[in-house]
Amino acid sequence: MTSEGRAPRVGVLAVQGAVREHVNAIREIDAEPVEVRLPRDLVDLDALILPGGESTTMRKLIDAYGLREPILSLARGGAPLLGTCAGMILLADRLADGEAPYFGLLDLEVRRNGYGRQLDSFETDLDAPGLGGQPLHGVFIRAPVVSDLGPDVEVLARDPDGMPVAVRQGRVMATAFHPELTGDRRMHRLLVSLIGRGAGRSA
Ligand code: GLN
Protein backbone atom coordinates (compact mmCIF):
# COMPACT_ATOMS: atom_id res chain seq x y z
CA MET A 1 0.00 0.00 0.00
CA THR A 2 1.14 3.56 -0.67
CA SER A 3 0.74 6.38 1.86
CA GLU A 4 -2.65 7.13 0.22
CA GLY A 5 -3.75 3.59 1.02
CA ARG A 6 -3.94 2.28 -2.54
CA ALA A 7 -1.95 -0.40 -4.34
CA PRO A 8 1.30 1.00 -5.77
CA ARG A 9 1.01 1.80 -9.47
CA VAL A 10 3.97 0.38 -11.38
CA GLY A 11 4.41 1.30 -15.03
CA VAL A 12 5.99 -0.93 -17.66
CA LEU A 13 7.35 0.85 -20.71
CA ALA A 14 5.38 -0.88 -23.45
CA VAL A 15 6.80 0.45 -26.71
CA GLN A 16 8.66 -2.81 -27.47
CA GLY A 17 10.04 -5.88 -25.74
CA ALA A 18 9.23 -8.17 -22.80
CA VAL A 19 6.21 -6.33 -21.39
CA ARG A 20 3.60 -8.96 -20.52
CA GLU A 21 5.76 -10.95 -18.07
CA HIS A 22 6.57 -7.80 -16.10
CA VAL A 23 2.87 -6.90 -15.99
CA ASN A 24 2.13 -10.35 -14.57
CA ALA A 25 4.98 -10.08 -12.05
CA ILE A 26 3.62 -6.73 -10.82
CA ARG A 27 0.16 -8.26 -10.35
CA GLU A 28 1.65 -11.17 -8.43
CA ILE A 29 3.04 -8.82 -5.79
CA ASP A 30 -0.33 -7.02 -5.42
CA ALA A 31 0.71 -3.85 -7.19
CA GLU A 32 -1.20 -2.30 -10.11
CA PRO A 33 0.52 -2.59 -13.51
CA VAL A 34 0.19 0.24 -16.04
CA GLU A 35 1.40 -0.20 -19.63
CA VAL A 36 3.17 2.98 -20.71
CA ARG A 37 2.94 4.01 -24.37
CA LEU A 38 2.24 7.72 -24.14
CA PRO A 39 3.34 10.49 -21.76
CA ARG A 40 -0.12 10.58 -20.17
CA ASP A 41 0.34 6.95 -19.04
CA LEU A 42 3.14 8.15 -16.73
CA VAL A 43 0.85 10.38 -14.67
CA ASP A 44 0.51 9.18 -11.07
CA LEU A 45 2.93 6.28 -11.46
CA ASP A 46 4.79 5.27 -8.30
CA ALA A 47 7.55 3.31 -10.10
CA LEU A 48 8.58 2.36 -13.63
CA ILE A 49 10.12 -0.69 -15.30
CA LEU A 50 12.12 -0.43 -18.52
CA PRO A 51 11.94 -3.98 -19.92
CA GLY A 52 14.23 -6.06 -22.10
CA GLY A 53 14.01 -5.79 -25.85
CA GLU A 54 16.28 -4.14 -28.37
CA SER A 55 17.71 -0.96 -26.93
CA THR A 56 18.32 0.80 -30.27
CA THR A 57 14.69 0.28 -31.28
CA MET A 58 13.51 1.27 -27.81
CA ARG A 59 15.47 4.53 -27.91
CA LYS A 60 13.85 5.44 -31.23
CA LEU A 61 10.35 4.64 -30.02
CA ILE A 62 10.78 6.44 -26.69
CA ASP A 63 11.85 9.53 -28.66
CA ALA A 64 9.05 9.12 -31.22
CA TYR A 65 6.37 8.93 -28.49
CA GLY A 66 7.86 11.88 -26.58
CA LEU A 67 8.53 9.75 -23.49
CA ARG A 68 12.16 10.60 -22.72
CA GLU A 69 11.67 13.87 -20.84
CA PRO A 70 8.59 12.72 -18.88
CA ILE A 71 10.44 9.55 -17.80
CA LEU A 72 13.41 11.66 -16.67
CA SER A 73 11.14 13.92 -14.64
CA LEU A 74 9.41 10.93 -13.06
CA ALA A 75 12.86 9.69 -11.98
CA ARG A 76 13.90 13.15 -10.74
CA GLY A 77 10.68 13.34 -8.77
CA GLY A 78 11.74 10.27 -6.80
CA ALA A 79 9.96 7.34 -8.48
CA PRO A 80 12.10 4.20 -8.37
CA LEU A 81 13.12 2.66 -11.70
CA LEU A 82 14.09 -0.88 -12.70
CA GLY A 83 15.75 -1.53 -16.06
CA THR A 84 16.09 -5.13 -17.19
CA CYS A 85 18.56 -6.10 -19.94
CA ALA A 86 17.90 -3.51 -22.70
CA GLY A 87 16.45 -1.39 -19.85
CA MET A 88 19.84 -1.54 -18.12
CA ILE A 89 21.49 -0.29 -21.31
CA LEU A 90 19.04 2.63 -21.47
CA LEU A 91 19.77 3.61 -17.85
CA ALA A 92 23.58 3.38 -17.99
CA ASP A 93 25.80 6.47 -17.91
CA ARG A 94 28.32 4.92 -20.32
CA LEU A 95 28.33 2.39 -23.17
CA ALA A 96 31.58 0.53 -23.84
CA ASP A 97 31.22 0.59 -27.63
CA GLY A 98 31.19 4.38 -27.79
CA GLU A 99 27.43 4.68 -28.37
CA ALA A 100 25.89 7.71 -26.63
CA PRO A 101 24.15 6.99 -23.32
CA TYR A 102 20.38 7.46 -23.26
CA PHE A 103 18.94 8.24 -19.81
CA GLY A 104 22.28 8.34 -17.97
CA LEU A 105 20.72 7.58 -14.57
CA LEU A 106 23.11 4.86 -13.34
CA ASP A 107 26.84 5.27 -12.77
CA LEU A 108 27.96 2.26 -14.76
CA GLU A 109 29.39 1.23 -18.09
CA VAL A 110 27.80 -1.60 -20.04
CA ARG A 111 28.86 -3.54 -23.08
CA ARG A 112 25.92 -4.55 -25.24
CA ASN A 113 25.72 -8.28 -26.04
CA GLY A 114 28.80 -8.61 -23.82
CA TYR A 115 28.29 -12.29 -23.03
CA GLY A 116 29.15 -13.16 -26.62
CA ARG A 117 27.21 -14.33 -29.63
CA GLN A 118 27.80 -18.02 -28.97
CA LEU A 119 26.10 -17.55 -25.62
CA ASP A 120 23.04 -15.78 -27.01
CA SER A 121 20.92 -17.12 -24.18
CA PHE A 122 21.77 -19.00 -21.02
CA GLU A 123 20.55 -19.56 -17.50
CA THR A 124 22.58 -19.73 -14.34
CA ASP A 125 22.27 -19.43 -10.58
CA LEU A 126 23.42 -16.11 -9.23
CA ASP A 127 25.00 -15.24 -5.95
CA ALA A 128 22.62 -12.63 -4.49
CA PRO A 129 24.04 -11.18 -1.26
CA GLY A 130 22.13 -7.91 -1.77
CA LEU A 131 18.80 -9.72 -2.15
CA GLY A 132 18.61 -11.68 1.08
CA GLY A 133 21.36 -14.19 0.27
CA GLN A 134 19.31 -16.95 -1.38
CA PRO A 135 20.71 -17.67 -4.87
CA LEU A 136 18.66 -16.20 -7.70
CA HIS A 137 18.07 -17.92 -11.01
CA GLY A 138 19.06 -15.65 -13.89
CA VAL A 139 17.83 -15.92 -17.49
CA PHE A 140 20.21 -14.05 -19.83
CA ILE A 141 19.18 -13.20 -23.41
CA ARG A 142 21.82 -11.35 -25.47
CA ALA A 143 22.59 -9.68 -22.18
CA PRO A 144 24.83 -6.69 -21.50
CA VAL A 145 27.96 -7.04 -19.39
CA VAL A 146 28.59 -4.44 -16.67
CA SER A 147 32.14 -3.42 -17.56
CA ASP A 148 32.60 -0.67 -14.95
CA LEU A 149 30.81 0.47 -11.82
CA GLY A 150 30.79 3.78 -9.92
CA PRO A 151 31.51 3.90 -6.17
CA ASP A 152 27.87 4.55 -5.19
CA VAL A 153 26.51 1.54 -7.03
CA GLU A 154 25.62 -1.43 -4.84
CA VAL A 155 25.94 -4.90 -6.37
CA LEU A 156 22.83 -6.96 -5.56
CA ALA A 157 23.82 -10.09 -7.48
CA ARG A 158 26.81 -11.52 -9.36
CA ASP A 159 27.19 -14.20 -12.03
CA PRO A 160 29.38 -17.28 -11.36
CA ASP A 161 32.43 -15.36 -12.69
CA GLY A 162 31.85 -12.59 -10.17
CA MET A 163 30.52 -10.04 -12.68
CA PRO A 164 27.79 -7.72 -11.36
CA VAL A 165 24.41 -8.58 -12.89
CA ALA A 166 21.97 -6.76 -10.57
CA VAL A 167 22.77 -3.31 -9.24
CA ARG A 168 21.19 -0.44 -7.36
CA GLN A 169 22.10 3.22 -6.99
CA GLY A 170 19.59 4.88 -4.72
CA ARG A 171 16.21 4.29 -6.32
CA VAL A 172 17.55 3.24 -9.72
CA MET A 173 18.08 -0.49 -10.23
CA ALA A 174 19.05 -2.64 -13.17
CA THR A 175 19.59 -6.27 -14.05
CA ALA A 176 21.49 -7.79 -16.98
CA PHE A 177 19.13 -10.79 -16.80
CA HIS A 178 15.32 -11.09 -17.05
CA PRO A 179 13.84 -11.36 -13.52
CA GLU A 180 10.30 -11.40 -14.95
CA LEU A 181 10.94 -14.79 -16.63
CA THR A 182 11.32 -16.73 -13.37
CA GLY A 183 8.99 -16.95 -10.38
CA ASP A 184 11.40 -15.09 -8.09
CA ARG A 185 9.88 -11.70 -7.34
CA ARG A 186 12.68 -10.21 -5.23
CA MET A 187 13.64 -7.53 -7.78
CA HIS A 188 10.02 -6.44 -8.27
CA ARG A 189 9.41 -6.37 -4.51
CA LEU A 190 12.57 -4.33 -3.95
CA LEU A 191 11.41 -1.83 -6.58
CA VAL A 192 8.06 -1.38 -4.81
CA SER A 193 9.75 -1.15 -1.40
CA LEU A 194 11.69 1.91 -2.61
CA ILE A 195 8.53 3.93 -3.37
CA GLY A 196 8.26 7.05 -1.26
CA ARG A 197 11.85 7.00 0.00
CA GLY A 198 12.52 10.57 -1.22
CA ALA A 199 14.31 12.05 -4.19
CA GLY A 200 17.99 11.83 -5.18
CA ARG A 201 20.27 9.42 -6.96
CA SER A 202 22.42 8.19 -4.07
CA ALA A 203 21.42 5.53 -1.56
N1 GLN B 1 20.95 -7.16 -26.83
C1 GLN B 1 19.87 -6.25 -26.58
C2 GLN B 1 20.34 -4.79 -26.77
O1 GLN B 1 21.47 -4.57 -26.98
C3 GLN B 1 19.29 -6.45 -25.18
C4 GLN B 1 18.69 -7.83 -25.08
C5 GLN B 1 17.57 -7.97 -24.09
O2 GLN B 1 17.01 -6.98 -23.60
N2 GLN B 1 17.17 -9.20 -23.83
O3 GLN B 1 19.55 -3.91 -26.73
Side-chain angles (χ1 to χ4, degrees):
M1 289 289 151
T2 61
S3 51
E4 296 104 68
R6 57 168 174 79
R9 215 167 271 150
V10 181
V12 182
L13 182 69
V15 294
Q16 194 250 353
V19 175
R20 200 187 42 199
E21 292 83 358
H22 275 300
V23 165
N24 293 339
I26 292 163
R27 261 197 211 107
E28 274 171 41
I29 61 166
D30 295 323
E32 182 192 335
V34 177
E35 294 189 21
V36 172
R37 294 190 180 84
L38 295 169
R40 65 161 186 256
D41 301 327
L42 293 160
V43 174
D44 287 338
L45 286 190
D46 297 304
L48 179 66
I49 294 175
L50 306 174
E54 212 288 312
S55 59
T56 309
T57 308
M58 286 169 77
R59 283 172 185 248
K60 287 186 191 141
L61 293 172
I62 295 168
D63 285 340
Y65 294 120
L67 286 163
R68 185 170 178 276
E69 276 308 315
I71 289 174
L72 281 170
S73 40
L74 186 76
R76 282 191 210 108
L81 302 188
L82 167 62
T84 61
C85 202
M88 173 188 255
I89 297 165
L90 295 177
L91 288 173
D93 276 357
R94 298 175 295 285
L95 299 187
D97 57 12
E99 208 180 335
Y102 191 70
F103 286 120
L105 289 168
L106 255 183
D107 186 5
L108 39 93
E109 180 187 81
V110 297
R111 182 175 304 117
R112 291 180 65 191
N113 305 308
Y115 282 94
R117 294 272 167 205
Q118 70 280 27
L119 281 178
D120 250 9
S121 309
F122 63 98
E123 300 187 19
T124 187
D125 280 331
L126 306 169
D127 186 26
L131 293 165
Q134 288 279 92
L136 188 105
H137 194 67
V139 178
F140 293 76
I141 305 168
R142 293 183 293 286
V145 161
V146 176
S147 41
D148 187 40
L149 207 66
D152 295 331
V153 182
E154 180 193 354
V155 177
L156 302 172
R158 293 181 185 276
D159 73 12
D161 293 329
M163 297 298 284
V165 291
V167 295
R168 167 165 103 94
Q169 183 178 11
R171 282 156 302 91
V172 183
M173 298 192 295
T175 62
F177 57 95
H178 284 258
E180 77 283 9
L181 295 182
T182 59
D184 193 316
R185 293 290 160 255
R186 274 179 281 172
M187 288 305 301
H188 292 82
R189 284 186 204 284
L190 181 56
L191 177 73
V192 167
S193 78
L194 297 173
I195 293 170
R197 296 262 196 100
R201 168 167 159 150
S202 55

